[in-house]
């Protein structure tokens, strides 16, 4: 089997390029080991002072160093006076001329790089028969039409062995450049490997598309009670579902309430949700109710939030105006809710309203009693579209969730690196080293987050203004009069695993990790921390925690 650059995920969404992917899969399976396929290869040359750009569908590098360029034209083409045209919405394109320009560009770039290789090109028409018609600009032996498509692999190998193309580089082609040099040229100079400086944004967009399933079909489910329980893993699209539901409610002029446990998540959703939707953490609802009906709470009082929660439930049960006022209620992070909290929200749903409970048992960070809902329809989803596939393998190897995670990300990624420490000084040095490794991958500092295993008040790093020359942007734990969270100024974000749950970043450093045994609570915190990254995650942990992980693995 040939090697692909870049690799493709096991399942690729059906797009307008599906036929090109079919050809790619056929070649991958039919070419033997030693052949390398580069797909969607952009080229750029300067001719007479003018920039010229294009893209080659497939480039195959043979084991002898010969190169074959493949241009794929799916569907029908037109032959007019010996000239082949492909019709597009923006107009027609001369196929023969396109092949010549691609070939000349590749030969020119190889010469400029000082590399030697025989370059041949061909045209693949998987859906069209040439049937003896002659094309002026393309020799018939360089065309693979529908009749010969099944033998495409044999055609490619014969073309690369014969080396009937044009040599690039001084001195002819008797001494081709090394395969390593040619591979590096095709990977790096043509940038067909992921550029992590831009990959973060691309992965976020791809993740949104792939994870749109919940947001597409869950709203179509009707239940007699109007209650749906969505038990879905991290990165499955729960946030997209919540935003879709809020947007649909706003468009229908319905009153909606989104409530979660984590104040940081509520602040994040507030920035994304429609302005007419009410978004708050559960304790915010309680505090706001107390302020409007009693006065400013005494935040120094012991057990304040328990008192406010009980007060809020009693008010809802006793006040008709607070009942049946929402056509949509979304309870996010449901695994972190007390049963009484849910009980105070249910009466606020209108008779024809809908309530969605979004939860993930693997992310339960607080000891809570289980609660049951009557006449509920439950949806299960273990598909993770956000976390790199290699990281998902680590999650499953450590058995961090009750059922295996299905890795659906478009990015393979790499296994996390583990850095151990014994002192606070080592903690800072190792965390700095982890950040620098993420930067070496091409992840910008603004796209990296330090996620502390410890809580806000016990974290060494959250109390540290500067790390490795970078100022840290840290939560102060305080809020403005308008209710906005207050942060210090800084270049590098640091937050706790408790607060960062529900959020994500391109690169994550899970740091200050310490535990004596890999019990259920530890597994859940590890699960939350390891599933925050789109591209890469590093782990900084104590030596005793490292020994526990090694023992399990």
């Amino acid at each position: 089997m040939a090697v692909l650059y870049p690799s493709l995920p096991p399942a690729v969404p059906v797009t307008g390029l599906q036929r090109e992917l079919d050809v790619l899969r056929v070649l991958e399976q039919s070419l033997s080991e030693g052949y390398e396929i580069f797909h969607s290869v952009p080229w750029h040359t300067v001719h007479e002072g003018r920039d010229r750009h294009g893209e080659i569908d497939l480039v195959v590098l043979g084991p002898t160093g010969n190169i074959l360029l493949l241009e794929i034209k799916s569907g029908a083409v037109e032959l007019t006076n010996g000239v082949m045209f492909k019709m597009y919405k923006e107009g027609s394109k001369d196929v023969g001329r396109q092949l010549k320009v691609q070939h000349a560009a590749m030969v020119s770039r190889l010469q400029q790089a000082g590399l030697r290789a025989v370059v041949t090109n061909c045209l693949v028409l998987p859906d069209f028969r040439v049937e003896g018609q002659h094309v002026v600009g393309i020799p018939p032996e360089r065309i693979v039409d529908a009749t010969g498509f099944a033998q495409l692999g044999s055609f490619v190998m014969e073309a690369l062995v014969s080396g009937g193309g044009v040599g690039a580089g001084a001195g002819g082609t008797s001494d081709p450049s090394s395969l390593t040099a040619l591979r590096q040229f095709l990977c790096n100079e043509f940038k067909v490997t992921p550029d992590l400086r831009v990959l973060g944004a691309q992965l976020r967009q791809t993740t949104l598309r792939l994870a749109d399933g919940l947001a597409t079909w869950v709203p179509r489910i009707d239940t007699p009670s109007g209650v749906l329980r969505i038990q879905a893993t991290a990165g499955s699209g729960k946030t997209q579902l919540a935003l879709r539901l809020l947007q649909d409610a706003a468009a229908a002029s319905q009153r909606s309430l989104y409530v979660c446990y984590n104040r940081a998540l509520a602040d994040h959703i507030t920035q994304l949700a429609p302005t007419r939707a009410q978004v708050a953490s559960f304790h915010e609802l309680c505090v706001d109710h107390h302020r409007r009906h009693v006065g400013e709470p005494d935040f120094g009082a012991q057990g304040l939030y328990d008192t406010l929660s009980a007060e809020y439930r009693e008010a809802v049960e006793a006040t008709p105006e607070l009942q049946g006022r929402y056509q949509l209620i979304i309870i996010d992070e449901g695994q972190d809710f007390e049963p009484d909290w849910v009980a105070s929200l249910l009466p606020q749903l209108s008779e024809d309203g809908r309530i969605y409970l979004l939860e993930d048992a693997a992310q339960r960070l607080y000891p809570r009693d289980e609660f049951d809902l009557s006449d509920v329809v439950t949806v299960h989803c273990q598909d993770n579209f956000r976390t790199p596939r290699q990281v998902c393998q680590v999650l499953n190897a450590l058995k961090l969730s009750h059922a295996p995670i299905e890795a659906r990300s478009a990015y393979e990624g790499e296994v996390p690196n583990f850095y151990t420490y014994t002192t606070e000084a080592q903690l800072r040095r190792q965390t700095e080293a982890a950040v620098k490794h993420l930067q070496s991958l091409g992840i910008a500092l603004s796209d990296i987050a330090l996620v502390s295993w410890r809580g806000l008040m016990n974290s060494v790093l959250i109390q540290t203004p500067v790390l490795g020359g970078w100022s840290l942007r840290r939560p102060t734990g305080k809020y403005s009069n308008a209710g906005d969270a207050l942060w210090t100024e800084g270049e590098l974000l640091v937050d706790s695993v408790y607060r960062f749950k529900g959020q994500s970043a391109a690169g994550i450093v899970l740091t200050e990790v310490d535990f004596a045994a890999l019990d259920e609570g530890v597994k859940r915190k590890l699960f939350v921390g390891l599933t925050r990254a789109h591209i890469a995650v590093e782990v900084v942990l104590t030596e005793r925690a490292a020994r526990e992980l090694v023992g399990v693995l």
Side-chain angles (χ1 to χ4, degrees), residues 9-11 210 233 382-393 395-396 404-412:
L210 293 176
T233 191
Q382 287 297 103
D383 295 332
N384 185 320
F385 300 97
R386 177 177 64 216
T387 306
R389 298 198 298 278
Q390 289 271 14
V391 179
C392 284
Q393 291 182 20
L395 298 176
N396 290 333
I405 301 299
E406 295 291 340
R408 303 297 189 189
S409 172
Y411 183 53
E412 180 72 19

Side-chain angles (χ1 to χ4, degrees), residues 304-347:
L304 171 67
Y305 288 107
D306 291 337
T307 301
L308 294 181
S309 299
E311 177 184 278
Y312 183 67
R313 179 178 179 179
E314 292 172 2
V316 170
E317 293 176 345
T319 310
E321 290 80 7
L322 298 180
Q323 301 171 7
R325 55 179 176 162
Y326 296 109
Q327 286 79 48
L328 170 67
I329 296 178
I330 300 172
I331 301 176
D332 202 351
E333 302 181 299
Q335 73 280 350
D336 292 331
F337 272 60
E338 294 280 7
D340 284 350
W341 303 355
V342 178
S344 66
L345 295 171
L346 291 177

Side-chain angles (χ1 to χ4, degrees), residues 70-89:
L70 291 86
E71 179 64 23
I72 303 166
K73 298 299 181 187
S74 60
V77 295
E78 294 184 2
L79 281 170
T80 305
N81 298 324
V83 180
M84 182 177 292
F85 294 93
K86 177 65 181 178
M87 306 304 295
Y88 299 96
K89 291 182 180 179

Side-chain angles (χ1 to χ4, degrees), residues 20 80 178 194 253 351:
E20 292 182 14
T80 305
S178 71
S253 299
E351 290 187 2

Side-chain angles (χ1 to χ4, degrees), residues 150-164:
Q151 290 78 41
L152 178 62
S154 299
F155 171 88
V156 168
M157 287 189 285
E158 291 175 5
L160 288 170
V161 170
S162 62

